[in-house]
Amino acid sequence: MRGGDLVVRVLKYLVSVAFLALPLAAQADELQEAPAPDAAAPVPSSSDTILVTATRLAIPVDQVPASLTVLDKPAIDRAQDIGVTELLLRTPGISISRNGGYGTTTALRIRGAESEQTVVVIDGVKLNDPSASSGGYNFANLLAGDASRIEVLRGPQSILWGSQAIGGVVNVVTALPAKTLEGSFDVEAGSHETVSARAAIGGKTGPLAWRLGGQAFTTDGISALAPAFGGKEADGYINRNVSGRAVIELAPGISADLRGYYASSQTEIDASTADSLEYSLNREFVGYAGINLDLLDGRFRNRIGYTYTDTDRDNFNPTRARAQTFDAAGHNRRLEYQGAFAIAEGWTLLAGAENERSRFRSASPPAALATPVPAPVRGGADITSFYGQLSAQPIGGLTLNAGLRHDDHDRFGGKWLFAAGGVLNLPTGTVLRASYGEGFKAPTLYQLFSEYGVASLAPERAKGWEAGAEQHLFDDKLVFGATWFQRKTRDQIIFNSCAATSTDALCFVPGNATTRRQGYYANVSRAEAHGIEAAAALKLGSFQLDGNYSWTVAEDRSPGANFGKWLPRRPRDTANGSVSYAWPFGLTTGAAIRWSGKTFDNAANTTVLDAYTLVDLRAEYALSPSLRLIGRVENLFDETYSTAIRYNALGRVFYAGLRGRF
């Protein structure tokens, strides 16, 4: 479907919803204001109610049926972590694998799901790389930067976020100013010649609110290849990124919204067998332009937006005659409408429509200059989606919701998805949650059109549910709870290698029965995951203590030799804990511990990745109300560990610097 056709359909849809809304509005006893229909909506930091936006509505956390974690700006500052990955690792149900130090390929998994089954959102824009083989997002280059809030919504979320949201959603929101002029900066340096500098400034004057931020990060790094396997030379990493937001009120109830993010990085990489001089260049651009329209005194709130993402990746090896070893680019264009209507007190309808157009290009130039560079592989896909979700509070303390989504893929036709859930807040401070969700993930462009592609692939499908309880005591000074979850995935896509003597027709290039290929993608894999996530937090004045434990059983359920085996690089047991104390004279000290149980690096479960324990120390001292001296030690006991076989991980490192907020 062309973008213009979608605009017409969206406008018709908007008018239809508006006409339906008018009689309902007239029947209501009193006017209600709808929540902002935006995953990047600003939330007041001074409010006693915690609002979340990963649900695509700005709603209180105690009205969300699914499990979630919210990291606000104080929590982000307190952790002092450079990357978003390190922050997320401290939350329940998260595991990662990384091919070396900062900047190397990083896969993040939620509840044992594949990394590419996690949706990443920056300022309301859904990210993925259409040129990547899995179509997912590489967390390697996502630094904390100017993030003011990071939310993790666990479990299938395809009703709201479409393809890929099988494991969950990571929502990163940058700041919008609340004062006439405000700013911040962080500068620090430490081990391996690491230097990080970040600054942001913004203001709110009359109808305009704006903010610009930038960061520069550089490190000499460590050898990506583990020393035990011959790694000796350090592999450096450089990252430069900028972000910006601006909102201007054009008239009462009408505003324009602009958002942008750009990151450029260079990472020195190693093969899994030897040191290498090869390096990769990565450029990511995210852009958004939208119009917000509030009708019926804010009771019917609408947003129409256009988003564009572009990822460009190149690899070079200076020891080759032809230095470039890889070239890929992928981009998404998405036109979207989202509306929220307050039917009556406690009753809200969310509705939306989207059209996404993805395109990719990929090539692997040969080393010899005499060999011509083949034409790049290209491909594209269009998806048009409509979704709706009703949230109701039939009695005090009880929130129920149910939603439907229809995706129309230009290659796979239509697909319906359903989700429902409820959350009950009791007067005793007990919160009960339960939810069910369905997910799907369309085959990536690479899986369809590359030299290993198969055009007949079917989408991956998933169903999952969870139930949990949380207890709040002593005015929220003590909070603890646990959640049980379960998910089944079918038609999971894997890479099937071809033997040199195979007679399988798919082991030959389509349309050429004599030219073999190394393998192809196929829908043969099934997976199942279940487990428990438990967490607790205690706040007593200046003293804070929190911890979480996750038991995640993620197994291969495909018929064959690997049935019942652990899915690779997913530890069954992980635990995190942290403690901090703010001393009366301006010093705050803290410690954090992470324990990860053993896991396996391969599907056959013959290669073991050992368990490990990491201990971090951190401190900050207030030089003035707006300036702090910060410092930390990571991996205090210099633990040797690996999250991917043959690849290295950071040992003991030290960092110190200054933080300013004004």
Side-chain angles (χ1 to χ4, degrees):
M1 177 184 294
R2 293 176 298 178
D5 296 332
L6 180 67
V7 172
V8 174
R9 291 182 64 178
V10 166
L11 290 175
K12 290 181 178 179
Y13 182 59
L14 177 60
V15 172
S16 300
V17 174
F19 275 108
L20 288 173
L22 289 172
L24 290 169
Q27 295 173 12
D29 294 333
E30 58 180 297
L31 291 177
Q32 303 295 321
E33 185 171 329
D38 186 0
V43 298
S45 58
S46 58
S47 174
D48 293 333
T49 302
I50 300 176
L51 299 180
V52 297
T53 58
T55 54
R56 304 196 76 163
L57 285 175
I59 60 175
V61 67
D62 60 5
Q63 296 179 15
V64 181
S67 297
L68 76 158
T69 298
V70 181
L71 301 174
D72 58 12
K73 189 60 175 176
I76 295 171
D77 284 347
R78 188 165 56 248
Q80 297 187 23
D81 290 315
I82 294 173
V84 170
T85 301
E86 287 69 33
L87 286 163
L88 296 179
L89 262 180
R90 305 182 191 276
T91 65
I94 302 291
S95 63
I96 72 159
S97 57
R98 175 178 278 165
N99 294 354
Y102 284 116
T104 56
T105 301
T106 303
L108 181 141
R109 301 177 179 89
I110 300 178
R111 290 182 171 174
E114 300 296 330
S115 176
E116 60 269 19
Q117 293 173 341
T118 295
V119 162
V120 181
V121 182
I122 295 181
D123 282 340
V125 182
K126 176 181 172 183
L127 298 182
N128 69 301
D129 180 6
S131 67
S133 59
S134 63
Y137 182 74
N138 180 8
F139 276 83
N141 299 305
L142 186 57
L143 304 184
D146 200 33
S148 65
R149 191 172 74 253
I150 302 175
E151 303 167 349
V152 183
L153 191 60
R154 293 182 283 275
Q157 305 295 331
S158 286
I159 295 297
L160 299 176
W161 293 106
S163 184
Q164 292 183 296
I166 289 176
V169 176
V170 174
N171 184 38
V172 181
V173 183
T174 59
L176 263 179
K179 299 185 294 186
T180 303
L181 182 65
E182 61 184 47
S184 64
F185 71 87
D186 299 88
V187 179
E188 65 179 18
S191 303
H192 307 298
E193 303 298 322
T194 299
V195 178
S196 176
R198 185 203 68 82
I201 190 169
K204 186 175 182 180
T205 304
L208 176 65
W210 62 276
R211 185 175 176 98
L212 292 174
Q215 183 173 10
F217 176 85
T218 180
T219 180
D220 285 353
I222 58 174
S223 173
L225 182 65
F229 295 94
K232 296 180 181 179
E233 51 90 20
D235 294 299
Y237 173 60
I238 299 172
N239 184 307
R240 305 283 189 269
N241 64 76
V242 294
S243 62
R245 295 186 64 178
V247 178
I248 183 168
E249 186 177 354
L250 303 176
I254 304 176
S255 62
D257 201 336
L258 296 175
R259 307 165 192 170
Y261 169 81
Y262 177 78
S264 176
S265 66
Q266 177 175 317
T267 309
E268 297 174 2
I269 57 179
D270 284 338
S272 61
T273 55
D275 280 333
S276 170
L277 296 180
E278 190 167 2
Y279 62 93
S280 66
L281 302 179
N282 188 89
R283 293 166 295 281
E284 300 173 356
F285 173 75
V286 177
Y288 171 90
I291 293 291
N292 305 304
L293 175 63
D294 294 347
L295 302 174
L296 306 176
D297 294 325
R299 188 169 187 179
F300 185 26
R301 306 183 70 177
N302 303 270
R303 179 178 62 85
I304 298 177
Y306 174 80
T307 71
Y308 177 77
T309 67
D310 191 293
T311 304
D312 195 345
R313 297 178 294 133
D314 299 278
N315 286 11
F316 296 89
N317 189 337
T319 64
R320 297 198 338 164
R322 179 180 280 119
Q324 188 168 22
T325 63
F326 181 71
D327 173 29
H331 64 259
N332 293 310
R333 292 182 172 90
R334 183 181 293 107
L335 182 62
E336 57 186 23
Y337 161 76
Q338 189 177 353
F341 175 61
I343 300 173
E345 184 177 2
W347 292 69
T348 302
L349 175 65
L350 168 68
E354 301 174 342
N355 176 251
E356 178 180 285
R357 305 183 67 189
S358 302
R359 301 292 184 267
F360 96 112
R361 181 196 77 241
S362 180
S364 298
L369 294 176
T371 305
V373 178
V377 177
R378 300 177 183 271
D382 291 8
I383 303 177
T384 300
S385 308
F386 293 89
Y387 60 89
Q389 179 174 276
L390 178 66
S391 178
Q393 294 179 316
I395 60 175
L398 175 64
T399 301
L400 302 173
N401 65 31
L404 282 173
R405 183 185 184 97
H406 184 265
D407 287 307
D408 186 8
H409 196 288
D410 64 348
R411 291 185 170 271
F412 305 110
K415 174 69 175 177
W416 284 99
L417 297 170
F418 171 74
V423 54
L424 177 62
N425 294 270
L426 299 174
T428 58
T430 305
V431 181
L432 303 177
R433 286 186 170 91
S435 64
Y436 167 83
E438 298 175 347
F440 91 105
K441 180 178 180 294
T444 68
L445 299 181
Y446 192 88
Q447 291 166 345
L448 291 170
F449 300 109
S450 73
E451 60 266 41
Y452 312 113
V454 175
S456 60
L457 287 172
E460 299 174 347
R461 298 172 293 161
K463 296 180 179 180
W465 65 273
E466 67 174 66
E470 189 174 85
Q471 183 65 51
H472 296 244
L473 297 173
F474 313 118
D475 293 328
D476 290 339
K477 291 182 175 63
L478 176 61
V479 180
F480 58 89
T483 299
W484 170 270
F485 68 88
Q486 188 164 328
R487 183 188 65 252
K488 293 184 178 180
T489 307
R490 304 184 55 154
D491 291 330
Q492 199 154 301
I493 299 172
I494 67 167
F495 182 78
N496 186 67
S497 298
C498 291
T501 57
S502 176
T503 59
D504 186 343
L506 290 174
C507 287
F508 295 85
V509 174
N512 188 334
T514 61
T515 303
R516 292 183 174 273
R517 57 181 181 175
Q518 295 177 344
Y520 59 90
Y521 289 98
N523 291 103
V524 299
S525 184
R526 296 184 182 185
E528 182 176 322
H530 63 265
I532 295 174
E533 296 165 349
L538 174 66
K539 296 181 180 180
L540 294 175
S542 300
F543 176 80
Q544 294 189 35
L545 175 68
D546 63 73
N548 60 73
Y549 167 76
S550 300
W551 177 63
T552 305
V553 178
E555 295 180 339
D556 191 332
R557 290 291 174 172
S558 305
N562 293 331
F563 182 87
K565 300 289 181 69
W566 296 22
L567 293 177
R569 301 178 180 177
R570 294 158 177 84
R572 285 199 171 177
D573 302 279
T574 58
N576 295 277
S578 70
V579 59
S580 66
Y581 183 75
W583 301 85
F585 50 88
L587 175 67
T588 300
T589 54
I593 184 170
R594 173 171 177 79
W595 173 74
S596 177
K598 77 166 187 178
T599 186
F600 298 97
D601 193 72
N602 60 341
N605 288 183
T606 57
T607 305
V608 178
L609 293 170
D610 292 332
Y612 62 89
T613 302
L614 305 179
V615 177
D616 303 335
L617 301 179
R618 61 175 182 266
E620 58 181 75
Y621 180 72
L623 300 173
S624 71
S626 59
L627 185 63
R628 290 178 177 264
L629 180 67
I630 59 175
R632 68 187 183 281
V633 182
E634 297 179 359
N635 194 357
L636 176 65
F637 299 108
D638 203 19
E639 178 95 349
T640 299
Y641 69 102
S642 179
T643 58
I645 197 67
R646 304 183 71 88
Y647 286 105
N648 202 5
L650 283 170
R652 181 170 50 236
V653 290
F654 304 83
Y655 302 100
L658 289 172
R659 174 193 300 150
R661 305 286 184 264
F662 60 90

